Amino acid sequence: MVFFLGILLFALLIGISIALHELGHLATAKMFGMKVTRYFIGFGPKIWSFRRGETEYGLKAIPAGGFCEITGMTALEEVRPEDRERAFYRQKTWKRVVVLSAGSITHFILGFVILYLMAVFLVLPNVRNTAVVQEVAQCVQSESKPNCAPGDTSPAGRAGFRAGDEITAVGGVTTPTWTDVLKATQNRSGTTDFTVRRGDETLTLTTDVARVDRKFKRADGSTYTREIGAIGVVHQREFEYNAVTGVGAAFSFTGDMFVNTWHGLLKFPEKIPAVVKAIGGGERDLESPVSVVGASRLGGEAVEHGLWPFFWLMLAGLNFFVGVFNLLPLLPLDGGHIAVNLYERVRNWIRKLRGMPAGAPVNYLRLLPLTYFVIFVGGAVTLLTVTADIVNPIRLQ
């Protein structure tokens, strides 16, 4: 029951995000005096609506998005004489760009707010995998010595490591991530210098790296034991903040998510074959694209297992992804319309410099083949990801 409630909650929050996206278009269009005739969440048959002023607000049967209908979105649209001055295409370019980008900006604001609330009331994960020490262990445990004895002190404890230290180098080798620290430490033994950042200070702590037996798991699930180097420190996987420090943390995390989102978009095409393979029964790649169905399912699992930070982080990530994706310069996305409007502005500026009159508005009919192609590809990818999320879904480990 908790699993299904989690799915419904995540789907509901996605719906609210979509509603706020369209509200961004609505609010900015009305702010600039444009005429908005309809604001609907969903597509298909109308379920319910009401009219306030000149705008009809309502819900439709298919919960797959929404729309905000602004009079005169292109010069091809027939506009009544009394509405001509309020038509979208007759407004200044900067106003049109603001209205078109308002949906994505709303997603970015939502993502930031979610991250800030997580920072203050929950935790933010260490997505950069920085080598921050959460605690210094009492001893270095191994397969032969799973428990610490009274009076034991780990090599890190003897060297003076403290919680909050960030390890920046091991034996003179730079270690920007915790993974780098593990690799460098596991390959060493005996006296080793660790460079540590403690507040505004940079320290060198010298310790004797212990060699211990640890158990590891192979890809097929079997285990094996090997000797590695260790000093007895625990990785800081999550960070806590207050209402003041949470602001900077949320901004920093937002920047990280923008970078990760962009890298994910660049790698998106190469991940599609993995989705096709998963539909055929192959192992589902944990980094393969997911649909709203798959995301909602993961949200349900997160709620079922009490993983609320993951739940909210996934919702924030989805908002950043939709916001960035929607700004791609492809029709029928908002980014495609922004590109057309900016093209017209630059073209007319060049024509003005040459003493020529402004050119005619872009004929959207000529762009229909490209628009249909983008719709076809987008529909095919959506169908593939939804199918994979049904027959071979990604599951929380």
Side-chain angles (χ1 to χ4, degrees):
M1 178 62 72
V2 175
F3 171 68
F4 291 107
L5 289 176
I7 291 177
L8 290 176
L9 176 61
F10 196 85
L12 175 63
L13 291 172
I14 292 175
I16 292 174
S17 296
I18 293 172
L20 292 175
H21 171 111
E22 297 302 331
L23 186 63
H25 294 312
L26 173 78
T28 50
K30 284 182 172 291
M31 180 177 67
F32 292 136
M34 303 177 195
K35 184 173 182 179
V36 182
T37 55
R38 293 195 298 167
Y39 169 85
F40 273 80
I41 302 304
F43 296 99
K46 180 169 66 176
I47 297 176
W48 165 83
S49 72
F50 68 94
R51 181 172 292 277
R52 178 169 295 176
E54 61 189 10
T55 307
E56 181 184 11
Y57 303 83
L59 295 173
K60 295 205 168 193
I62 304 174
F67 64 91
C68 175
E69 192 173 273
I70 305 172
T71 297
M73 282 298 294
T74 73
L76 298 175
E77 182 181 330
E78 292 187 12
V79 179
R80 292 185 301 181
E82 62 269 29
D83 295 332
R84 192 164 297 151
E85 292 304 314
R86 300 178 64 195
F88 178 86
Y89 74 89
R90 293 181 66 89
Q91 309 304 310
K92 292 183 178 180
T93 302
W94 72 268
K95 291 183 178 180
R96 284 179 271 162
V97 171
V98 168
V99 172
L100 289 169
S101 59
S104 287
I105 292 173
T106 301
H107 283 297
F108 300 150
I109 294 173
L110 279 173
F112 173 81
V113 170
I114 292 171
L115 293 177
Y116 175 73
L117 294 176
M118 284 182 63
V120 175
F121 296 106
L122 295 171
V123 293
L124 285 178
N126 186 354
V127 291
R128 295 185 183 179
N129 196 29
T130 51
V132 177
V133 176
Q134 177 176 310
E135 64 175 295
V136 179
Q138 181 183 349
C139 70
V140 175
Q141 298 168 304
S142 65
E143 288 301 306
S144 58
K145 185 184 178 182
N147 300 310
C148 297
D152 280 351
T153 304
S154 65
R158 292 192 295 271
F161 278 84
R162 299 178 187 174
D165 287 348
E166 182 180 352
I167 302 172
T168 58
V170 177
V173 178
T174 303
T175 53
T177 69
W178 182 256
T179 303
D180 296 320
V181 170
L182 287 180
K183 289 180 180 178
T185 305
Q186 289 175 359
N187 293 329
R188 300 190 70 90
S189 64
T191 303
T192 303
D193 290 336
F194 285 74
T195 304
V196 170
R197 184 181 296 120
R198 181 179 295 168
D200 296 329
E201 294 183 282
T202 298
L203 309 173
T204 299
L205 303 179
T206 303
T207 184
D208 288 324
V209 177
R211 301 297 294 180
V212 296
D213 293 330
R214 291 280 173 82
K215 186 174 290 186
F216 295 88
K217 182 179 290 186
R218 297 188 179 91
D220 60 5
S222 62
T223 60
Y224 66 98
T225 301
R226 71 181 178 91
E227 187 181 73
I228 62 170
I231 61 172
V233 288
V234 180
H235 184 209
Q236 180 97 36
R237 297 179 180 273
E238 299 172 333
F239 297 104
E240 297 180 356
Y241 303 91
N242 57 38
V244 177
T245 59
V247 176
F251 272 114
S252 177
F253 207 98
T254 295
D256 291 337
M257 295 204 76
F258 269 122
V259 172
N260 292 338
T261 298
W262 180 245
H263 288 165
L265 281 173
L266 293 178
K267 295 180 179 179
F268 192 88
E270 66 187 54
K271 293 181 179 180
I272 297 302
V275 176
V276 177
K277 182 179 178 181
I279 294 174
E283 183 178 355
R284 184 73 184 270
D285 184 353
L286 296 179
E287 295 187 0
S288 64
V290 297
S291 65
V292 173
V293 173
S296 298
R297 192 184 186 288
L298 285 171
E301 286 195 31
V303 172
E304 183 180 30
H305 297 294
L307 302 175
W308 286 103
F310 177 81
F311 178 94
W312 294 111
L313 186 63
M314 190 167 57
L315 183 65
L318 183 63
N319 273 283
F320 285 120
F321 176 83
V322 172
V324 173
F325 181 81
N326 195 54
L327 290 178
L328 294 178
L330 300 170
L331 290 170
L333 302 176
D334 290 336
H337 291 283
I338 291 174
V340 170
N341 281 274
L342 292 178
Y343 162 76
E344 289 181 342
R345 182 69 183 88
V346 172
R347 180 203 60 187
N348 290 339
W349 174 70
I350 294 175
R351 290 175 66 90
K352 183 178 180 180
L353 291 178
R354 299 172 63 185
M356 302 170 64
V362 169
N363 187 345
Y364 275 82
L365 293 177
R366 295 181 179 179
L367 299 175
L368 281 179
L370 177 60
T371 303
Y372 289 147
F373 174 76
V374 173
I375 293 174
F376 172 78
V377 173
V381 171
T382 300
L383 181 61
L384 284 174
T385 53
V386 169
T387 303
D389 289 333
I390 293 174
V391 302
N392 191 2
I394 294 176
R395 301 180 186 274
L396 295 182
Q397 299 298 312

